[in-house]
Amino acid sequence: MDIKDELLYRYILDHSSTITENWLALREKQDGSIYSVDTHEEVEGILRKQNTLTIKTVTSVLLEDKTVFVETMEQWATLVAKSRVESDTPIYEVLEALNKVRRAYWDFKGDNYPMESAY
């Protein structure tokens, strides 16, 4: 595995809670939505855990062993799909939330990124 990929993988996972907080900050008030900024604290906890798994899934594509990505993707898809069905969340809300995940993920700029040490 390329050392840069490994460093990036580790760095993103180490900062997944910050990325999740950034994602949660993008929420707006949506009556009756699991993604609403004013959702119950317990639901927000579920969203935090699921978003951390989303980040792990996306980031695992950097790993040389692609089975990690496939296994994580299957776990993520099963968990999130079941959760959204149980909460009766419309697909358009899921897609909007995924778009915000993408935005939070790509907008993340951590301090002291360790890539320089890989050169």
Side-chain angles (χ1 to χ4, degrees):
M1 168 183 276
D2 186 335
I3 187 68
K4 293 176 197 174
D5 290 342
E6 179 67 30
L7 287 172
L8 183 57
Y9 173 78
R10 272 287 119 220
Y11 187 79
I12 291 171
L13 289 187
D14 289 347
H15 292 84
S16 62
S17 62
T18 301
I19 298 169
T20 295
E21 290 306 316
N22 293 344
W23 171 66
L24 289 170
L26 294 172
R27 295 176 303 159
E28 300 169 353
K29 185 168 174 46
Q30 295 175 291
D31 291 336
S33 173
I34 190 173
Y35 299 112
S36 183
V37 70
D38 62 353
T39 193
H40 190 274
E41 191 175 303
E42 182 180 314
V43 173
E44 187 173 296
I46 291 168
L47 290 175
R48 281 179 198 284
K49 288 178 185 174
Q50 291 176 352
N51 192 46
T52 299
L53 182 57
T54 301
I55 293 166
K56 181 179 179 184
T57 301
V58 172
T59 306
S60 68
V61 79
L62 295 168
L63 298 175
E64 190 172 322
D65 182 0
K66 298 306 176 195
T67 60
V68 174
F69 172 73
V70 171
E71 290 170 0
T72 307
M73 175 62 99
E74 289 173 358
Q75 178 189 6
W76 174 84
T78 301
L79 178 75
V80 174
K82 182 176 185 250
S83 176
R84 295 311 171 269
V85 167
E86 290 173 353
S87 65
D88 200 28
T89 304
I91 191 72
Y92 73 88
E93 287 185 17
V94 175
L95 294 174
E96 287 173 2
L98 285 172
N99 191 36
K100 289 178 181 176
V101 168
R102 181 193 52 80
R103 180 176 160 198
Y105 190 88
W106 289 113
D107 286 350
F108 173 69
K109 295 174 185 77
D111 295 330
N112 301 318
Y113 180 65
M115 285 302 284
E116 291 82 32
S117 64
Y119 293 115

